[in-house]
Amino acid sequence: MTTPEAREEAVLEAVNQRRKLVNEAIPEALPIQRPERLYEASRYLLDAGGKRLRPTVLLTTAEALADVEPLSTDYREFPTLDGRSNSPAADDGADQTPETIDAMAAAVSVEVIQSFTLIHDDIMDDDDLRRGVPAVHREYDLETAILAGDTLYSKAFEIMLETGTTSDRAVDALDVLATTCTKICEGQALDVDFEQREDVSPEEYLDMVEQKTAVLYAASACLPAILQGADQETIDALYGYGLDIGRAFQIHDDVLDLTVPSEELGKQRGSDLVEEKQTLITVHARDQGIELEDLVDTEDVERVTESEIDDAVAELERVGSIEYANDRARELVEQGKDRLEVLPDNEARELLCDIGDYLIERGY
Amino acid sequence: MTTPEAREEAVLEAVNQRRKLVNEAIPEALPIQRPERLYEASRYLLDAGGKRLRPTVLLTTAEALADVEPLSTDYREFPTLDGRSNSPAADDGADQTPETIDAMAAAVSVEVIQSFTLIHDDIMDDDDLRRGVPAVHREYDLETAILAGDTLYSKAFEIMLETGTTSDRAVDALDVLATTCTKICEGQALDVDFEQREDVSPEEYLDMVEQKTAVLYAASACLPAILQGADQETIDALYGYGLDIGRAFQIHDDVLDLTVPSEELGKQRGSDLVEEKQTLITVHARDQGIELEDLVDTEDVERVTESEIDDAVAELERVGSIEYANDRARELVEQGKDRLEVLPDNEARELLCDIGDYLIERGY
């Protein structure tokens, strides 16, 4: 029996191995070309780092579906499910089905969408730092940052068109990509809307997180199934897995904002509380009679003290809000893992389970 | 023989008739839904007006290709070219070809892209007014305007997926849409870049205009050919027509900025000169030894006088720059019209020629 530590280490190694491959693929998909400043700005955040969690989910799901050993198969020439007895495409015959697809193109496309949303989010929140470097609108300017995001947006669609799958499946994949982007925008708008409201319920909060964050995990998990030609039940189950672990990921992020020391977090611990940002934790706390604005008096992240944050976190612990958030995240991950039973029982499927666990156990 | 005035009136009527239909289709494609504020902001500029020139080009091209009388056929159930002896799809057979497509969906998609670029452009240029109403970031706020543009961006892809064409053609159409958006971003970045340069050549300027403005006309003209199943030669010729009339459109816009009274223009006449914005006119004038910064001394659009603008325009006329721009626009439109010979000789093709003329003869 493997220990939790050994499993986390294995996940981190799996993520790192795929990250290296994704990092090689990004400049191929997005070379610096004329106008150079635009493409440099478009690449700036992508090149600054990132764990590539979504591409990792996508590539690992492709491996689980194809029932190949993790990292044994070139992602650029990745087997489809056609020709298998249980493949719905086997008796479709309307379209020439290719034997392989470029799963890496899909993985890069998803990461490019993620990067576009971060660039525009940083403008909207007027955040100065991201991944330890200045936000794109700080390093360049507002105009260039808006355009860099817009360029990544259409490039993601162009890249998704490069998988070499059938036209039918490409259309379905582009549909998922487009509706995912729309939902991300809707989720972001709901998040802004919630700032004005004091009656957001935990379920409303989770709905918002689903749209703002989880849909891109859901897309990452179901896209290989679409591109490789899986049946609808598998596609739906994988989409559900992504939604579940994506929501859990965001809840855990909100917990980390309160519990990880500022130096590890790369920003002030408890900044969400200072900025009175609603999270599942604060929404739960309000239901316990806690006033969000009373938790931290200081309204400036630069001036808040660690002891103020300590007191606020102690109060949130006392009313059970942090435990509540942890419990909800755990439930969602367990639900997501259950959905993976549609996949063949293999090492890659195990890894997808472990990725779910990692998302709510990671320390930063 | 019809007079130019009669022809212009016929074009305006044709544009108006299609505009009404497009205006009915927009709320159907983009209903105000939750989160309402986001969708209201997304619709704000679309609802404020606009000639719908690009949708008109698209719908009229569809009519010319199908060889039907203008406005005789429901755009929602518009005939493809399949089954005709000269259709490449006739012997393809790989895909179930539908008898009709929803050409209006494609027309709305293109207008939605146009609206997204205007919303983001107004943020980038910090413009206050658009179509006689406040820019979206003024009427709402920066955050909402960025998100509204981003929402329209993905919605345009979703809407383009609703034409009911074959998957093969849908993939090609989405490819055109994505590469068009990328080029628009590149063109906008080049435009910004040119502001820092004093050695932009007329050809470089026209290249920039091609990317920033003309590609969306090109997409509008070639998309029906793709969706209806025309051959590649026809698709390419129509793309060329769109590029030509689109560049001419932008050149004429720059001429209008200098020659139309402010009250008709809806903004200060000569504002491009005051802001030292490069146009084909000023690029040509510099080649004649005119310093752009010497043309108008006042640097504030609010404070410039009509007589200052009059003097600058007289100077530009003296060195032949306005005539040069008019000549280039005329050449481009004639070249574009010649490309339409790939189309059947019918009333809709005539109208596409007249639309080309209208784009460089319109007074505002």
Side-chain angles (χ1 to χ4, degrees), chain B residues 109-343:
Chain B
S109 173
V110 163
E111 188 69 8
V112 166
I113 289 289
Q114 166 69 1
S115 193
F116 133 65
T117 64
L118 294 179
I119 293 174
H120 281 191
D121 278 3
D122 285 343
I123 299 172
M124 293 189 255
D125 299 340
D126 202 15
D127 281 336
D128 295 331
L129 283 176
R130 170 74 72 176
R131 293 179 177 161
V133 298
V136 176
H137 67 288
R138 289 270 171 267
E139 179 68 18
Y140 294 83
D141 50 61
L142 174 69
E143 193 165 11
T144 306
I146 291 176
L147 267 185
D150 290 345
T151 304
L152 291 175
Y153 209 152
S154 49
K155 277 286 173 188
F157 283 87
E158 289 186 49
I159 296 164
M160 189 61 82
L161 282 162
E162 299 291 322
T163 64
T165 191
T166 66
S167 295
D168 286 353
R169 294 172 192 168
V171 163
D172 289 346
L174 289 169
D175 197 9
V176 165
L177 199 65
T179 54
T180 297
C181 291
T182 301
K183 281 181 189 152
I184 292 171
C185 293
E186 290 174 355
Q188 176 74 13
L190 284 176
D191 198 12
V192 173
D193 181 41
F194 284 2
E195 284 169 25
Q196 316 297 323
R197 285 180 47 194
E198 297 194 358
D199 59 349
V200 177
S201 71
E203 293 317 311
E204 278 184 299
Y205 176 80
L206 283 174
D207 273 355
M208 181 276 285
V209 164
E210 176 174 320
Q211 294 197 270
K212 187 181 164 182
T213 304
V215 287
L216 199 53
Y217 278 97
S220 302
C222 83
L223 278 165
I226 292 171
L227 297 167
Q228 287 167 280
D231 57 32
Q232 194 60 44
E233 184 197 348
T234 304
I235 294 167
D236 293 343
L238 288 168
Y239 192 85
Y241 160 80
L243 280 191
D244 290 335
I245 66 165
R247 284 183 291 179
F249 168 84
Q250 184 61 52
I251 294 170
H252 188 64
D253 238 30
D254 295 340
V255 171
L256 291 179
D257 183 76
L258 301 179
T259 54
V260 173
S262 303
E263 54 278 19
E264 273 180 61
L265 209 54
K267 61 174 185 173
Q268 174 60 52
R269 179 171 67 105
S271 60
D272 288 352
L273 293 181
V274 179
E275 289 161 1
E276 297 182 6
K277 198 173 166 321
Q278 304 209 40
T279 65
L280 188 60
I281 302 155
T282 63
V283 167
H284 176 271
R286 201 192 39 235
D287 281 356
Q288 315 309 309
I290 305 277
E291 293 286 339
L292 180 51
E293 47 268 43
D294 298 344
L295 273 171
V296 177
D297 286 334
T298 308
E299 287 179 13
D300 181 351
V301 173
E302 310 269 307
R303 298 180 51 213
V304 74
T305 62
E306 287 295 320
S307 78
E308 267 187 293
I309 302 292
D310 283 341
D311 291 347
V313 171
E315 181 73 358
L316 291 169
E317 272 176 346
R318 188 184 63 77
V319 297
S321 300
I322 293 179
E323 193 182 353
Y324 170 79
N326 282 331
D327 288 349
R328 292 300 299 263
R330 168 54 61 196
E331 278 164 35
L332 285 166
V333 166
E334 293 306 324
Q335 178 175 295
K337 284 155 66 177
D338 285 347
R339 296 188 202 270
L340 296 181
E341 278 169 26
V342 292
L343 294 173

Side-chain angles (χ1 to χ4, degrees), chain A residues 74-231:
Chain A
D74 185 354
Y75 292 125
R76 295 288 194 187
E77 296 186 18
F78 207 80
T80 64
L81 309 185
D82 302 313
R84 301 191 182 199
S85 56
N86 63 346
S87 158
D91 48 72
D92 152 341
D95 217 330
Q96 284 266 326
T97 51
E99 283 178 24
T100 65
I101 57 155
D102 182 351
M104 183 57 84
V108 170
S109 173
V110 163
E111 187 70 8
V112 166
I113 288 290
Q114 165 70 1
S115 193
F116 133 67
T117 63
L118 294 179
I119 292 173
H120 281 191
D121 277 2
D122 285 343
I123 299 172
M124 293 189 256
D125 298 340
D126 202 16
D127 281 337
D128 295 331
L129 283 175
R130 170 74 72 174
R131 291 178 179 162
V133 298
V136 176
H137 68 288
R138 288 271 172 267
E139 179 69 19
Y140 294 83
D141 49 60
L142 174 69
E143 195 165 11
T144 306
I146 292 176
L147 267 184
D150 289 346
T151 304
L152 292 175
Y153 210 151
S154 49
K155 277 287 174 190
F157 283 87
E158 290 186 48
I159 297 165
M160 189 60 82
L161 281 163
E162 299 291 322
T163 62
T165 191
T166 66
S167 294
D168 285 352
R169 295 172 192 168
V171 163
D172 289 346
L174 289 169
D175 197 9
V176 164
L177 199 64
T179 53
T180 297
C181 291
T182 301
K183 282 182 189 150
I184 292 171
C185 293
E186 291 175 354
Q188 176 73 13
L190 283 177
D191 199 12
V192 172
D193 181 40
F194 283 3
E195 284 170 24
Q196 315 298 322
R197 285 179 47 193
E198 297 194 357
D199 59 348
V200 176
S201 71
E203 292 318 311
E204 278 184 298
Y205 176 81
L206 283 173
D207 272 355
M208 181 276 287
V209 165
E210 175 174 320
Q211 295 198 268
K212 187 181 163 183
T213 305
V215 288
L216 199 53
Y217 278 97
S220 302
C222 83
L223 278 165
I226 292 170
L227 297 167
Q228 288 167 277
D231 57 32

Side-chain angles (χ1 to χ4, degrees), chain B residues 347-361:
Chain B
E347 211 185 315
R349 186 177 90 174
E350 281 305 302
L351 185 52
L352 289 173
C353 288
D354 292 347
I355 289 171
D357 289 331
Y358 166 74
L359 290 183
I360 58 169
E361 284 165 8

Side-chain angles (χ1 to χ4, degrees), chain B residues 19-64:
Chain B
R19 175 171 58 188
K20 277 183 203 153
L21 297 170
V22 172
N23 285 354
E24 285 169 20
I26 287 170
E28 288 169 27
L30 282 169
I32 306 292
Q33 62 191 49
R34 187 163 179 272
E36 282 78 11
R37 190 179 149 87
L38 175 65
Y39 281 95
E40 282 162 10
S42 301
R43 281 270 298 282
Y44 183 74
L45 190 54
L46 281 162
D47 290 352
K51 295 198 191 75
R52 319 295 188 208
L53 289 172
R54 296 158 194 81
T56 295
V57 167
L58 190 149
L59 297 171
T60 309
T61 307
E63 291 172 324

